[in-house]
Amino acid sequence: MKVLEVKGLTKYFNGQKVLNDLNFGLNEGEVLGFLGPNGAGKTTTLRIITGLYRPSAGQVYIAGINAVANPIKTKGLFGVCTQDFSFNAHYNIEQDLYFYARLYGLSRREALEKARYSLEWAGLLEHRRKNGDHLSGGMRKKILFARAMINDPPLLLLDEPTTGLDVRARRELWEMIRDLKSRGKSILLTTHYLEEAEQLCDRILIIKKGRLVAEGGPGELRQYVDVARLLTVDLNRQLTLEEKEWLCALPGVKNCKSRGTTVEVAFDCQPQLAGELVQKVCQKLEPLNISLREASLEEVFLEVTGRED
Ligand SMILES: Nc1ncnc2c1ncn2[C@@H]1O[C@H](COP(=O)(O)OP(=O)(O)OP(=O)(O)O)[C@@H](O)[C@H]1O
Ligand SMILES: [Mg+2]
């Protein structure tokens, strides 16, 4: 059974269609990247999953339970790290976590133990007497992770948990996400950092205007771009017109651009092609250096979210 299933999700705000027949599933133990440009509908989707908004059409199932019809029944099955958040000004972070543990029905003693354990897990035990608003951005996100995990749910919904953090804080949160995965949690991870999606996610969805435009493992997403590989060739001179024509006519080559003494050749991803191409280019052009790389997730993202509808 899928931990999360989203079926035909559609949402209108003031007559404007924000989600458009969105379908996807999250498997047990999987980290699923949920990507899309600003305003694509990611947070709206998460808010519908958590029961904060009602969809205009479609269904959400969490562990097989219809979350739209029975939002109360699914509340204990997920933890959420929201994009916008606040801390109660009167609580320190230990009391904050204790409060959330009590909301989930833990006894006073259990809640206290859980708050301590969570603070330790987040590496924030020594800061337990501070209010969340007095902590650094990275620490605040760690507290949100601890909150999301307070009742040990199978599903975690993380809405841009690392946005705006420095590199070190981001890497620490990555470690926490990896730790959650190793404990068998299923995670829906929204992010604008494509490197983060590549590092952490088993599968990636890209949405645009509330509609799914690409789906696959980080490596598989290259199928969405015409130009799947790029060859960079450094010469000790400029490319001649005749050489450029020759390059462009080679099998699989989509285009070639030259800038100074550097030539970039974009070509599609047929097997064997790369080797043959490199060999031909080396023979004819005698380059100083030659390097080959695959299209990056960033190039895929720009391509699939930039296309005309
Ligand atoms: N409560 C609301 N009332 C009206 N419109 C809304 C509401 N919530 C979201 N929207 C609109 O829905 C669209 C999708 O917004 P959403 O916040 O889901 O995008 P997002 O993908 O999370 O973007 P970001 O990457 O900026 O967080 C936007 O056009 C937004 O203005
Ligand atoms: Mg958002």
Side-chain angles (χ1 to χ4, degrees):
M1 195 200 311
K2 293 218 185 293
V3 179
L4 171 69
E5 228 174 341
V6 167
K7 285 191 172 171
L9 213 58
T10 300
K11 178 72 180 170
Y12 287 88
F13 282 121
N14 312 317
Q16 189 201 346
K17 205 184 235 182
V18 167
L19 294 182
N20 188 351
D21 191 23
L22 191 61
N23 294 283
F24 66 88
L26 172 57
N27 300 314
E28 216 177 302
E30 187 178 40
V31 181
L32 181 63
F34 196 41
L35 276 54
N38 292 130
K42 304 177 297 296
T43 299
T44 302
T45 305
L46 263 60
R47 286 185 174 157
I48 293 173
I49 295 169
T50 56
L52 219 54
Y53 291 161
R54 280 191 72 79
S56 309
Q59 294 300 343
V60 173
Y61 296 90
I62 300 176
I65 303 171
N66 186 325
V68 177
N70 309 293
I72 301 292
K73 273 196 183 165
T74 52
K75 284 273 190 284
L77 297 174
F78 61 81
V80 58
C81 173
T82 52
Q83 191 172 1
D84 305 310
F85 57 91
S86 59
F87 290 94
N88 185 319
H90 303 291
Y91 289 169
N92 63 42
I93 55 174
E94 186 172 30
Q95 291 164 332
D96 183 281
L97 292 173
Y98 174 83
F99 171 76
Y100 275 86
R102 293 283 285 161
L103 283 183
Y104 282 104
L106 270 65
S107 71
R108 285 167 200 269
R109 195 176 53 82
E110 285 169 340
L112 201 59
E113 274 172 14
K114 193 66 198 221
R116 282 289 172 108
Y117 170 84
S118 306
L119 283 168
E120 218 170 324
W121 175 66
L124 293 173
L125 199 56
E126 61 181 295
H127 299 283
R128 66 185 180 279
R129 302 274 177 251
K130 293 181 187 161
N131 179 271
D133 287 331
H134 300 150
L135 296 174
S136 71
M139 288 176 182
R140 284 202 291 252
K141 289 290 169 137
K142 287 178 187 172
I143 285 296
L144 292 196
F145 273 32
R147 262 192 202 168
M149 276 291 288
I150 205 83
N151 63 325
D152 206 16
L155 170 63
L156 291 163
L157 308 165
L158 310 178
D159 197 357
E160 294 190 36
T162 63
T163 295
L165 300 183
D166 68 29
V167 177
R168 184 180 300 276
R170 191 177 308 155
R171 303 246 160 187
E172 284 169 5
L173 287 173
W174 286 7
E175 279 318 305
M176 289 173 87
I177 293 171
R178 289 194 180 108
D179 179 51
L180 293 170
K181 182 180 162 72
S182 75
R183 294 199 223 171
K185 303 294 174 197
S186 311
I187 302 173
L188 185 64
L189 172 68
T190 295
T191 179
H192 285 294
Y193 298 110
L194 300 171
E195 187 205 350
E196 178 167 301
E198 265 184 325
Q199 288 274 336
L200 298 176
C201 298
D202 302 304
R203 207 153 52 86
I204 293 170
L205 309 175
I206 304 179
I207 66 166
K208 178 192 176 187
K209 294 185 181 164
R211 190 189 271 282
L212 197 62
V213 288
E215 176 179 5
E220 294 161 358
L221 285 170
R222 293 191 179 88
Q223 63 176 302
Y224 289 93
V225 285
D226 264 359
V227 168
R229 284 166 185 249
L230 290 159
L231 191 68
T232 306
V233 186
D234 291 318
L235 303 174
N236 60 1
R237 57 190 168 77
Q238 291 206 345
L239 194 72
T240 66
L241 204 57
E242 178 264 328
E243 284 168 337
K244 188 169 181 175
E245 280 169 6
W246 171 81
L247 261 177
C248 289
L250 289 173
V253 172
K254 296 275 178 180
N255 67 60
C256 61
K257 288 182 215 151
S258 62
R259 203 174 356 95
T261 56
T262 302
V263 187
E264 268 220 333
V265 186
F267 61 104
D268 67 21
C269 202
Q270 286 162 30
Q272 314 117 7
L273 200 70
E276 279 174 31
L277 194 68
V278 170
Q279 213 174 11
K280 283 181 184 158
V281 168
C282 286
Q283 272 170 7
K284 174 138 177 131
L285 303 180
E286 297 178 336
L288 298 173
N289 191 24
I290 188 161
S291 64
L292 178 70
R293 68 173 180 87
E294 297 200 308
S296 64
L297 182 56
E298 193 167 291
E299 280 153 337
V300 174
F301 185 88
L302 290 173
E303 168 89 16
V304 297
T305 60
R307 278 180 195 152
E308 292 299 312
D309 296 314

